[in-house]
Amino acid sequence: MGLANWRVRSYNCQIKPIIAIIISILLLRAVLSPSTSFAWFQQRISSYGATPITEPNLRATVRNDKFLEVPQIVWGLNNQKIALARGLLTARFLNRTLLMPSLSASLFYKEVELLQPMQFDKIFDLEKFNSICDGFVQVGQYSKLLNKTDPFEMQKGSGRKWTKERDLEQLKEVTNDNKLHDLELVRIVGKNPFLWHDHWPVRDYAEIFGCLALINEIENDVVKVISKIREISIKAKKNTANTIPNPIVPYIAVHMRIEKDWMIHCKKWEQRTGMNQICSGKKEILDRVSHIMGINLPAVVYLAIADSLLEDDSVLKGWKTGLMPYEKKRLGVWEIYKKYPYLIQSAIDFEVCSRADIFVGNTFSTFSGLVVLSRTQRLLKLGFKDLCGNEDQLDVRFTSYAYNILGDKIGAPKLWMSDMADLSLQKISYGTNNISCDANMSIS
């Protein structure tokens, strides 16, 4: 018995110095190379299905020699951007690069055969995207793929029985399958990625959207449209007492969802769900915009509207004196828009709204929701985590309002910042009337 105890003590004496040495090496590695240690830790967390940590300088690099392929991305511009981000985050979860996805230049919901495919790099700058998002997600070209004939096909489930939990379990199984680790290509087949279950927080989506830069040709046309708006503003303010010393003349952008098919859809939506504050007619929109505090008149109001409303002069009538409404035809930039397919026209409108000094939209519009998300990101970079409590003195660029929800000030729309603490993109994807002037609403 004494001999056994001696052996145990002897073993402990031998093993403790070894453990101490290992711990010292790990600590030294963490001090000398914290990003590598954090990346290793993050990879382990991700492999067990936890939400990836996305600190920009402390994140693991996804493999650029293993790829994920997703189905063609369809529907409206912003549904396609969400689908793209979901594909990229899925690729990240699987530690793979997303093969350059095919977007859809045309807008068809049912006639799939009428869709006009458009490659990612025909609208977004691939090099800039991969540079800005380096270490987080990557888009790869098919020319990098060595074996195009032997992919592993991963069938996405559908229907009510295919729950969010089952979907996540499928991703974990693929991640943990050693046989697939060295396989060059995993191909997901089935439904449009927009319809996939959402496993990622708003901040991850926002980071990806922040990497999307338009190619130079389209960006130059965005600048031309905004310059035209500011040019009209300068002329209107000339010789008035409200001349602004700031060389950047402010403008307002309003995303008006009042086309007939939208109004029918949202009225049915309100009836079916029992919710209100979804639909807003023209009169309500005009009235609420006129009650926004602090607008320096005269001011140009750019109207982002459906093409079906471009021939309807009534959208330009009834505005408060000093608010000068312009849509793309009246602005004189229709020639810029009409040379492009639907997808790029929508991308130009998105940027014009995103860069406006004041934006007013509908919280049940994906377009409006993503515009506000991009503007919230800008406000955060400027040091504004919330805009609550100072609406009377508010003089901040990139403020946003929801015209379908009455705000705290009489007659005015509600101040709107995206909830950056939300654990999914559900509210932005499908709409909500629960919004706040606080970018951390979920934890405040």
Side-chain angles (χ1 to χ4, degrees), residues 198-211:
D198 185 7
H199 305 293
W200 294 278
V202 167
R203 288 185 185 276
D204 283 3
Y205 284 98
E207 184 158 0
I208 290 174
F209 297 144
C211 301

Side-chain angles (χ1 to χ4, degrees), residues 10-268:
S10 176
Y11 176 77
N12 287 339
C13 290
Q14 292 172 355
I15 203 70
K16 285 179 180 178
I18 295 173
I19 293 173
I21 292 170
I22 293 172
I23 292 173
S24 299
I25 292 172
L26 289 174
L27 288 172
L28 182 62
R29 181 182 177 186
V31 170
L32 295 177
S33 183
S35 61
T36 304
S37 303
F38 185 92
W40 174 86
F41 172 71
Q42 183 184 18
Q43 284 178 321
R44 292 300 88 208
I45 291 235
S46 295
S47 70
Y48 288 106
T51 300
I53 300 169
T54 57
E55 291 297 327
N57 297 319
L58 298 173
R59 57 196 184 194
T61 301
V62 294
R63 291 184 298 179
N64 59 11
D65 60 338
K66 306 300 177 194
F67 302 95
L68 178 72
E69 185 181 63
V70 300
Q72 181 174 350
I73 293 172
V74 298
W75 298 347
L77 167 72
N78 294 286
N79 288 338
Q80 292 192 50
K81 286 166 74 173
I82 291 171
L84 169 66
R86 204 156 283 163
L88 283 159
L89 290 168
T90 301
R92 172 178 167 78
F93 190 93
L94 301 176
N95 194 16
R96 290 173 175 269
T97 292
L98 181 68
L99 277 177
M100 188 183 298
S102 176
L103 306 176
S104 300
S106 52
L107 181 60
F108 290 96
Y109 288 93
K110 295 182 180 179
E111 302 90 341
V112 178
E113 67 279 359
L114 298 178
L115 289 171
Q116 301 171 16
M118 175 177 280
Q119 290 302 311
F120 175 90
D121 60 353
K122 298 301 181 184
I123 180 168
F124 299 114
D125 189 312
L126 178 62
E127 185 176 342
K128 284 183 181 177
F129 179 89
N130 282 337
S131 175
I132 299 169
C133 262
D134 183 35
F136 186 52
V137 294
Q138 292 285 278
V139 172
Q141 295 177 300
Y142 274 84
S143 59
K144 302 291 185 181
L145 193 61
L146 300 177
N147 183 358
K148 300 180 181 180
T149 60
D150 190 25
F152 169 75
E153 290 201 343
M154 175 179 164
Q155 177 70 50
K156 272 286 182 184
S158 59
R160 292 183 179 180
K161 291 185 178 180
W162 189 260
T163 62
K164 185 175 181 177
E165 291 72 25
R166 286 189 65 183
D167 190 76
L168 183 59
E169 189 59 36
Q170 182 190 48
L171 292 176
K172 290 179 183 178
E173 287 174 3
V174 173
T175 302
N176 296 326
D177 190 337
N178 292 327
K179 295 179 181 178
L180 300 179
H181 283 181
D182 296 325
L183 196 63
E184 189 180 22
L185 177 61
V186 171
R187 175 183 295 153
I188 296 182
V189 295
K191 56 192 177 184
N192 171 18
F194 180 81
L195 298 174
W196 294 356
H197 285 293
D198 185 7
H199 305 293
W200 294 278
V202 167
R203 288 185 185 276
D204 283 3
Y205 284 98
E207 184 158 0
I208 290 174
F209 297 144
C211 301
L212 293 172
L214 297 172
I215 60 174
N216 288 337
E217 178 188 356
I218 304 173
E219 172 61 27
N220 290 339
D221 282 335
V222 170
V223 172
K224 288 177 185 177
V225 174
I226 294 176
S227 296
K228 185 69 173 178
I229 294 172
R230 296 199 188 280
E231 177 187 320
I232 293 171
S233 296
I234 291 171
K235 288 180 180 179
K237 291 180 183 297
K238 194 174 183 180
N239 300 323
T240 70
N242 292 330
T243 301
I244 297 177
N246 190 336
I248 300 178
V249 181
Y251 72 93
I252 304 164
V254 179
H255 181 219
M256 291 184 74
R257 293 305 310 266
I258 58 172
E259 60 272 24
K260 186 178 293 185
D261 59 342
W262 164 259
M263 296 304 290
I264 292 172
H265 167 69
C266 74
K267 288 294 184 185
K268 288 182 177 178

Side-chain angles (χ1 to χ4, degrees), residues 394-411:
L394 197 58
D395 185 22
V396 179
R397 286 194 72 196
F398 306 122
T399 52
S400 304
Y401 297 84
Y403 59 66
N404 60 307
I405 302 175
L406 191 61
D408 297 330
K409 300 298 177 182
I410 296 176

